[in-house]
Amino acid sequence: MTQNAYQGVEIKPRKMSFPFSKINSRNIFADNSVISAFAAALSSTFPPGEAEFIESVRNYRDQITDPTLKEQIRGFIGQEGHHSHQHKRANQVLKDLGFDAVRLEKHLEKDIKKMRERKYGTPKFRLAMTVGMEHLTAIMAEFLLENPEVIEPLEDSVQELLYWHAVEEIEHKAVAFDVYMQCEGDQKYLRTILRIATALFSIRIGLYMVALLFWARKFPSWKELKGFASFMWGKKGLVTKIKAPYKDYFKEGFHPWDHDNQELIDKWKETFYRPEHDRDSEKFDPETAGLKTAASA
Ligand SMILES: [Fe+2]
Ligand SMILES: [Fe+2]
């Protein structure tokens, strides 16, 4: 018996679609262009990143016999596919307002394609990268759901997008991990890869922020830079708060559900979930979405 999937959580894709039409400035974040660029840079990485997460798990799908995990893989693919789809829409809005997140999407797509073609781009490496990135997204999601005031300055539809994405990241946070442990089982390798993934991701986000600001010909003020520093490294900052859960990954025998935060999912269902936005009418099939994005890279 492996350390298997958390049986209590249902991983069911919600086909959300948000009305982004009220976003009227690229500075989506409290008039701070640097934090706004951070949010846009992050959003730009989701469509290609999530397509790769789907692909890397799909590579192992046939090796999984456990029916619960098989079902959870289906849910994982569906959820990531829909996140990717909605962030693509958001990225287009950001582009129209002056932060070219779409250009960055394309850049990352190319880089992921190159990685797959390299010798080190083995199925094991790719899945371990996904497991690492899923840990990062799950702890950022937990931060967001525990500190909802952080995204209060955002327009309602963007808040909803982020809440929904955060909840589903928590719901499916163990899927890639469980697949990896059943098929590869080398947890030491996971730790090494998380270090690499964290460094590469941080550098990429930093460069993407600079690119967005540069393309928009926006040179941040000292006040904006200080605001960003406090947002990241202040007492209640993102990095400050996720440091401890980040490190848990390096504990012997770590499993993502060691952080039992089911209550955050329940709270969202009670307070923030708006079923009227659970109605994406566009023809969209997450089972093929990952492949499509990958193929067009
Ligand atoms: Fe996602
Ligand atoms: Fe995810």
Side-chain angles (χ1 to χ4, degrees):
M1 183 76 185
T2 54
Q3 265 187 325
N4 199 356
Y6 181 74
Q7 305 283 328
V9 71
E10 189 190 9
I11 305 173
K12 184 176 165 290
R14 299 169 187 88
K15 298 170 184 172
M16 307 299 273
S17 184
F18 302 100
F20 295 129
S21 51
K22 284 189 196 144
I23 307 171
N24 53 16
S25 161
R26 66 168 185 243
N27 280 353
I28 54 172
F29 229 108
D31 283 336
N32 185 315
S33 65
V34 188
I35 305 178
S36 302
F38 171 71
L42 211 55
S43 185
S44 77
T45 64
F46 284 129
E50 289 172 324
E52 167 60 12
F53 299 166
I54 290 172
E55 289 291 299
S56 65
V57 169
R58 213 198 299 259
N59 284 339
Y60 284 84
R61 204 180 198 176
D62 293 347
Q63 295 179 43
I64 302 295
T65 50
D66 174 358
T68 307
L69 189 51
K70 262 177 145 9
E71 194 50 39
Q72 291 189 331
I73 292 171
R74 198 191 317 278
F76 168 81
I77 291 174
Q79 288 190 339
E80 293 293 36
H82 283 286
H83 300 167
S84 173
H85 187 52
Q86 289 306 310
H87 277 276
K88 248 184 188 307
R89 290 184 58 233
N91 292 344
Q92 186 59 51
V93 174
L94 288 167
K95 180 189 172 178
D96 295 342
L97 291 167
F99 268 161
D100 199 348
V102 176
R103 187 170 167 187
L104 295 176
E105 257 182 50
K106 301 265 177 298
H107 183 265
L108 179 56
E109 269 177 20
K110 274 196 199 119
D111 277 1
I112 290 175
K113 188 167 180 272
K114 268 188 236 156
M115 176 274 288
R116 287 177 185 151
E117 287 161 1
R118 296 261 158 80
K119 215 174 157 191
Y120 63 80
T122 60
K124 183 182 175 184
F125 173 82
R126 290 172 59 190
L127 184 60
M129 284 293 269
T130 294
V131 177
M133 290 308 297
E134 284 288 287
H135 179 61
L136 287 177
T137 45
I139 60 176
M140 286 198 286
E142 185 178 41
F143 168 79
L144 194 147
L145 293 168
E146 279 178 347
N147 304 276
E149 69 280 1
V150 171
I151 58 164
E152 233 163 56
L154 295 170
E155 199 273 312
D156 284 358
S157 62
V158 187
Q159 286 193 35
E160 275 190 68
L161 165 76
L162 295 179
Y163 283 137
W164 161 68
H165 195 165
V167 162
E168 294 195 346
E169 284 307 318
I170 290 180
E171 284 177 341
H172 72 228
K173 65 179 176 174
V175 177
F177 182 93
D178 288 335
V179 170
Y180 177 91
M181 290 308 284
Q182 283 205 8
C183 300
E184 299 288 353
D186 175 0
Q187 210 157 352
K188 200 174 157 217
Y189 182 72
L190 282 185
R191 294 181 204 125
T192 307
I193 295 297
L194 180 65
R195 288 192 181 93
I196 296 169
T198 309
L200 293 177
F201 184 62
S202 307
I203 293 166
R204 184 177 296 275
I205 292 292
L207 292 174
Y208 280 9
M209 287 169 66
V210 172
L212 287 170
L213 291 164
F214 180 73
W215 293 333
R217 295 288 179 266
K218 167 68 194 169
F219 299 95
S221 67
W222 180 238
K223 195 178 155 212
E224 288 177 313
L225 287 168
K226 262 174 46 184
F228 176 68
S230 148
F231 180 85
M232 296 298 276
W233 301 283
K235 212 171 158 198
K236 289 183 172 176
L238 172 67
V239 176
T240 313
K241 289 281 188 181
I242 64 173
K243 223 180 257 174
Y246 175 81
K247 282 186 190 157
D248 289 342
Y249 197 84
F250 297 92
K251 284 182 184 162
E252 203 57 51
F254 168 81
H255 185 272
W257 279 109
D258 289 352
H259 299 155
D260 187 355
N261 35 26
Q262 171 72 38
E263 83 284 354
L264 294 173
I265 301 172
D266 298 338
K267 193 180 154 203
W268 174 77
K269 283 182 186 158
E270 283 159 26
T271 52
F272 297 117
Y273 176 53
R274 289 176 62 185
E276 68 267 32
H277 289 158
D278 193 346
R279 50 150 181 67
D280 192 0
S281 57
E282 289 176 54
K283 276 195 181 139
F284 170 70
D285 178 11
E287 280 290 328
T288 54
L291 284 173
K292 261 185 216 159
T293 314
S296 64

